[in-house]
């Protein structure tokens, strides 16, 4: 499994990065035997937040995205699906001039919380039916499992002011990537992260500065999650533009003995199964 950071800025785009979006790619064969193109590289996005559609175009043709997993429906995690919708309808390979439904083979799966289609309609000033003519929207609940090509995905509900999920992705060799989405410490994110080869964890808040609970992790809370879940590596993301990244990394490293790094836009990371 290969992870590319499309955008990692917390809560909004920053001067050096778009808001949350991560491209996960895996070569493999889909379990569904009917798909002629099943044995190929699969492209899955974790979130598509504000500004992320720009750098996404440097990585692939947006219509080659197979699925978008939405952690939750705050705009810094889903706003640029509006741009993907326009691309699918009017961009390269579209049925020019119709402005109507996107053919089924060209639609992108969008997987998110209940209310996803309505939220996307609201962001685009459209009707939910227009969203359904562009995306194949599926909603998930806590504990749901699904497949995207060769990847197995499990959704775990986490602790945020709106319904939010962490996603646990297992690749064809058994490698595990966990993405926390936005969350404070909770059982759901610990379940999602258990034994992961890479934990991509938000750490939006700063210990000793942001005292409000129930919204975000801090460096030390992300570190404690990595330690308690027994993950192999920790990659911190969703730091807000005004935060001090080194301080947040140090706070994580103070409680977690494994490797800790800060996500950077454009960074590529191979997620390998541990032997
Ligand atoms: Zn949020």
């Amino acid at each position: 499994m290969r992870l590319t950071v499309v955008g990692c800025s917390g809560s909004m785009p920053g001067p050096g990065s778009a808001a949350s979006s991560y491209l996960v790619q895996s070569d493999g064969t889909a379990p569904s035997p009917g798909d002629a193109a099943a044995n190929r590289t699969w492209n899955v996005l974790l979130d598509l937040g504000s500004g992320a559609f720009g750098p996404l175009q440097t990585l692939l043709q947006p219509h080659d995205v197979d699925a978008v997993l939405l952690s939750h429906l705050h705009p810094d995690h889903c706003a640029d699906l509006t741009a993907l919708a326009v691309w699918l309808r009017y961009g390269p390979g579209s049925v020019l001039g119709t402005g109507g439904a996107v053919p089924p083979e060209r639609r992108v799966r969008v997987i998110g919380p209940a209310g996803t289609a309505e939220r996307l309609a609201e962001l685009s000033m459209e009707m939910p039916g227009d969203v359904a003519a562009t995306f194949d929207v599926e909603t998930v609940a806590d504990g749901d499992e699904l497949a995207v090509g060769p990847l197995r995905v499990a959704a775990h509900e986490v602790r945020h002011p709106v319904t939010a999920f962490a996603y646990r992705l297992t690749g064809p060799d058994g490698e595990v990537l966990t993405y926390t989405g936005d969350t404070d410490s909770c059982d759901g994110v610990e379940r999602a992260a258990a034994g992961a080869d890479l934990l991509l964890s938000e750490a939006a808040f700063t210990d000793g500065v942001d005292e409000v609970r129930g919204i975000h992790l801090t460096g030390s809370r992300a570190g404690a999650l990595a330690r308690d879940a027994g993950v192999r590596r920790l990659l911190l993301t969703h730091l807000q533009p005004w935060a001090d990244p080194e301080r947040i990394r140090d706070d994580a490293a103070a409680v977690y003995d494994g490797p800790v790094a800060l996500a950077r836009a454009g960074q590529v990371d191979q997620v390998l199964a541990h032997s």
Side-chain angles (χ1 to χ4, degrees):
M1 214 186 317
R2 185 167 62 248
L3 170 71
T4 304
V5 177
V6 184
C8 58
S9 181
S11 305
M12 66 201 73
S17 175
S20 292
S21 187
Y22 311 89
L23 173 63
V24 178
Q25 294 173 299
S26 179
D27 297 330
T29 305
S32 54
D35 186 346
N39 196 2
R40 59 179 171 84
T41 299
W42 294 77
N43 303 306
V44 178
L45 288 175
L46 300 168
D47 287 331
L48 188 54
S50 30
F53 195 74
L56 179 69
Q57 292 167 65
T58 69
L59 301 172
L60 44 54
Q61 293 288 324
H63 50 265
D64 287 337
V65 170
D66 291 290
V68 184
L69 302 172
L70 294 178
S71 63
H72 64 298
L73 300 175
H74 279 154
D76 58 318
H77 294 259
C78 71
D80 273 18
L81 273 168
T82 59
L84 179 58
V86 174
W87 181 287
L88 293 174
R89 288 179 202 165
Y90 304 106
S94 63
V95 183
L96 288 175
T98 65
V102 173
E105 67 278 6
R106 191 177 162 82
R107 286 182 204 163
V108 171
R109 286 174 77 184
V110 175
I111 296 148
T116 290
E118 292 78 5
R119 177 64 161 152
L120 297 181
E122 179 183 84
L123 285 167
S124 303
M125 298 180 73
E126 291 180 337
M127 302 302 289
D130 297 318
V131 174
T134 306
F135 297 121
D136 289 328
V137 178
E138 303 163 39
T139 59
V140 287
D142 185 36
D144 280 359
E145 297 187 11
L146 54 101
V148 181
L151 298 173
R152 287 181 288 128
V153 178
H156 295 270
E157 191 166 353
V158 294
R159 183 181 169 201
H160 200 54
V162 299
T163 302
F165 296 95
Y167 287 108
R168 179 184 178 92
L169 278 63
T170 305
D173 298 322
E175 69 276 26
V176 173
L177 164 67
T178 295
Y179 171 51
T180 63
D182 281 5
T183 184
D184 200 345
S185 307
C186 64
D187 291 346
V189 77
E190 280 208 26
R191 279 196 302 276
D197 295 294
L198 179 64
L199 173 61
L200 175 62
S201 176
E202 73 117 300
F205 281 172
T206 299
D207 288 288
V209 174
D210 303 297
E211 304 288 1
V212 60
R213 297 301 305 261
I215 304 176
H216 286 302
L217 296 169
T218 60
S220 75
R221 296 203 288 268
L225 169 64
R227 177 195 64 206
D228 296 345
V231 309
R232 292 181 69 214
R233 288 190 292 135
L234 173 60
L235 183 59
L236 298 172
T237 191
H238 201 281
L239 276 60
Q240 291 164 326
W242 53 82
D244 176 351
E246 302 306 327
R247 175 173 172 181
I248 291 173
R249 180 172 59 185
D250 290 349
D251 288 341
V255 293
Y256 170 62
D257 286 340
V260 182
L262 293 163
R264 286 175 293 100
Q267 155 186 355
V268 180
D269 197 304
Q270 300 288 343
V271 183
L272 303 174
H274 53 284
S275 48

